[in-house]
């Protein structure tokens, strides 16, 4: 390393989505648990003669595979395209993941509503809800809120003063 070259700055994990590291891990853990619950309930749903139950069960197993591919690609090392799918899923914004996960979790419930489909897809749906909450952003602090309220009151008083002068 040349002494004239500046040292490379330490890069911290700050993405543009504004999620903290613990919330990101919470979403990933919820995705894994959602995948497990979808897989178990999907296989259980397929043990029937009703074709709608079988279709919902197959879709739930597909949901589990997609959740595992997107959230924990190291569990799918035997699939060649797993890392490509995971990197593409990581580039999605949180609201896009929320719509995707919630939509995938609702489809089997709409197809055949039963205790197994609702219970199996509940955690996968909750994963989508967590990503949806992440898209809302961080909560504001009380000081900024009070400052905005004070500015709003000042603007309203100015507008009221201008309206009174125009009426005279």
């Amino acid at each position: 390393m040349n002494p004239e070259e500046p040292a490379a700055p330490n890069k911290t994990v700050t993405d543009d989505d504004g999620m903290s590291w613990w919330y990101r891990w919470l979403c990933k853990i919820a995705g894994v648990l959602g995948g497990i619950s979808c897989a178990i309930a999907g296989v259980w749903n397929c043990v029937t003669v009703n074709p709608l139950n079988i279709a919902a069960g197959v879709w739930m197993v597909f949901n589990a595979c997609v959740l595992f591919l997107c959230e924990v690609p190291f569990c799918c090392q035997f699939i060649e395209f797993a890392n490509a799918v995971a990197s593409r899923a990581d580039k999605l914004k949180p609201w896009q993941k929320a719509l995707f996960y919630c939509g995938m979790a609702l489809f089997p419930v709409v197809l055949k509503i039963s205790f197994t489909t609702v219970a199996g897809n509940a955690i996968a749906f909750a994963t989508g809800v967590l990503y949806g909450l992440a898209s809302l952003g961080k909560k504001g602090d009380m000081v900024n809120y009070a400052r905005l309220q004070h500015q709003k009151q000042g603007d309203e008083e100015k507008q009221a003063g201008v309206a009174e002068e125009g009426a005279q």
Side-chain angles (χ1 to χ4, degrees):
M1 184 165 134
N2 193 355
E4 295 174 2
E5 293 178 8
N10 292 337
K11 186 177 180 182
T12 59
V13 180
T14 55
D15 292 336
D16 55 14
D17 58 7
M19 291 172 59
S20 60
W21 66 270
W22 62 268
Y23 196 80
R24 187 178 315 276
W25 274 99
L26 177 69
C27 291
K28 292 224 181 260
I29 290 170
V32 171
L33 293 176
I36 291 170
S37 70
C38 274
I40 292 171
V43 170
W44 183 258
N45 236 9
C46 288
V47 183
T48 184
V49 292
N50 187 350
L52 287 177
N53 273 352
I54 295 172
V58 168
W59 188 267
M60 289 170 67
V61 171
F62 175 72
N63 283 354
C65 293
V66 169
L67 280 167
F68 286 141
L69 277 174
C70 292
E71 297 296 330
V72 283
F74 60 85
C75 290
C76 306
Q77 291 179 355
F78 57 91
I79 300 175
E80 292 180 17
F81 58 88
N83 288 332
V85 170
S87 66
R88 179 166 235 158
D90 284 340
K91 291 178 185 175
L92 292 175
K93 292 181 172 66
W95 68 268
Q96 292 169 328
K97 279 187 176 182
L99 280 175
F100 183 64
Y101 289 162
C102 288
M104 283 183 53
L106 283 178
F107 183 75
V109 174
V110 170
L111 192 61
K112 177 66 176 168
I113 189 161
S114 68
F115 176 75
T116 310
T117 55
V118 172
N121 286 304
I123 302 175
F125 187 81
T127 303
V129 170
L130 286 173
Y131 276 112
L133 289 174
S135 68
L136 294 177
K138 291 185 178 180
K139 181 179 160 184
D141 60 346
M142 191 64 177
V143 175
N144 287 339
Y145 182 71
R147 188 177 301 135
L148 285 174
Q149 287 295 100
H150 185 67
Q151 286 177 344
K152 186 177 179 183
Q153 282 180 335
D155 291 343
E156 289 175 356
E157 289 172 1
K158 285 181 186 177
Q159 289 177 350
V162 170
E164 288 176 3
E165 289 176 7
Q168 292 177 359

